[in-house]
Amino acid sequence: MGSRGILGTKLGMTQVFDEEGRVVPVTVVHATPNTVSQVKTAETDGYTAVQLAYGAAKRTTRPLAGHLRKAGVESARAITELRMADGDELPELGASVSVATFGTGDLVDVTGTSRGKGYAGVMKRHNFSGMGDGHGVKKKNRHPGSVGACSTPGRTFRGTRMAGRMGGERVTVQNLEVVEVDTERDLILIRGAIPGADGGVVLVRSAVKHPDRAPALQGGEA
């Protein structure tokens, strides 16, 4: 079983009802057909992978435009690469990948850029409990506390959890269930929440930790 994937736009969350009338929260992803913009093989590139191009961009650099032209694509909003196993059947250059690559009940991993939250303190960023409001506490309720290391070694260690920029990172949520696939409107309904803000680009790919999938698809050894 090969690795499958498609790039799309997160539209937002809604709810549907299952066969027993229970409410199921889902995230709607609009994924117009992607184009295979490059096929990498072990002979030419040292590994096997498929590159997908999605959407259109107002401006495209000349090197990227020349690269996409080989697949018959003028521009792309986003490009991603899917690693494949050596024995997988590879698509042809310029082939189209639609939402029909997934079906109801499939397990998928969804990757996106988390919502940026700006500069945040330690309570919001690292879930610190803060200090109490008892007597003697003066405007230190949400402070991180001591971060130094006394006279030896006399410095703050790298990686100490402190205030800083929060969000805007690449995040993957694994093993989400595909509730419904609408091939007419190019929609994928995925159970639960996925990373990113509405309107952002996300990658939906077959789950790498599914028990039926081979470890070789992750690029490692079995």
Side-chain angles (χ1 to χ4, degrees), residues 135-196:
H135 299 291
V137 178
K138 297 180 180 179
K139 299 181 181 179
K140 293 290 183 180
N141 309 66
R142 302 181 67 88
H143 283 226
S146 176
V147 297
C150 199
S151 60
T152 303
R155 62 184 176 85
T156 301
F157 289 111
R158 184 187 298 272
T160 300
R161 295 183 297 171
M162 294 189 288
R165 182 173 165 181
M166 181 179 179
E169 299 175 338
R170 181 182 173 93
V171 179
T172 300
V173 178
Q174 297 180 323
N175 292 334
L176 297 177
E177 180 187 356
V178 175
V179 176
E180 184 180 344
V181 176
D182 189 340
T183 55
E184 295 183 358
R185 295 185 291 178
D186 296 324
L187 299 178
I188 304 176
L189 274 60
I190 303 172
R191 180 189 292 267
I194 64 176

Side-chain angles (χ1 to χ4, degrees), residues 190-210:
I190 303 172
R191 180 189 292 267
I194 64 176
D198 295 349
V201 176
V202 295
L203 169 62
V204 182
R205 56 180 176 175
S206 49
V208 297
K209 292 185 177 179
H210 191 276

Side-chain angles (χ1 to χ4, degrees), residues 1-199:
M1 179 180 180
S3 180
R4 297 167 296 157
I6 191 171
L7 287 166
T9 301
K10 175 182 176 180
L11 297 184
M13 293 196 69
T14 184
Q15 62 184 26
V16 296
F17 295 90
D18 62 10
E19 298 177 352
E20 299 182 4
R22 295 173 298 188
V23 174
V24 179
V26 295
T27 302
V28 182
V29 176
H30 181 229
T32 54
N34 292 192
T35 303
V36 177
S37 55
Q38 187 177 5
V39 178
K40 296 186 177 182
T41 61
E43 293 77 13
T44 59
D45 302 279
Y47 65 99
T48 306
V50 174
Q51 186 184 89
L52 299 178
Y54 163 71
K58 293 182 179 179
R59 297 177 180 85
T60 304
T61 62
R62 293 180 67 181
L64 180 59
H67 172 71
L68 295 175
R69 196 177 299 117
K70 299 176 183 178
V73 180
E74 296 183 359
S75 65
R77 180 184 178 185
I79 294 176
T80 192
E81 186 175 283
L82 294 175
R83 293 291 293 266
M84 310 288 286
D86 294 336
D88 288 342
E89 182 180 355
L90 300 178
E92 297 181 356
L93 182 66
S96 180
V97 178
S98 68
V99 295
T101 189
F102 295 106
T104 301
D106 288 351
L107 293 181
V108 295
D109 297 340
V110 182
T111 301
T113 302
S114 62
R115 297 177 62 179
K117 301 180 182 298
Y119 194 94
V122 292
M123 293 185 69
K124 180 175 181 178
R125 191 182 186 205
H126 300 295
N127 200 29
F128 281 18
S129 60
M131 300 181 67
D133 268 334
H135 299 291
V137 178
K138 297 180 180 179
K139 299 181 181 179
K140 293 290 183 180
N141 309 66
R142 302 181 67 88
H143 283 226
S146 176
V147 297
C150 199
S151 60
T152 303
R155 62 184 176 85
T156 301
F157 289 111
R158 184 187 298 272
T160 300
R161 295 183 297 171
M162 294 189 288
R165 182 173 165 181
M166 181 179 179
E169 299 175 338
R170 181 182 173 93
V171 179
T172 300
V173 178
Q174 297 180 323
N175 292 334
L176 297 177
E177 180 187 356
V178 175
V179 176
E180 184 180 344
V181 176
D182 189 340
T183 55
E184 295 183 358
R185 295 185 291 178
D186 296 324
L187 299 178
I188 304 176
L189 274 60
I190 303 172
R191 180 189 292 267
I194 64 176
D198 295 349

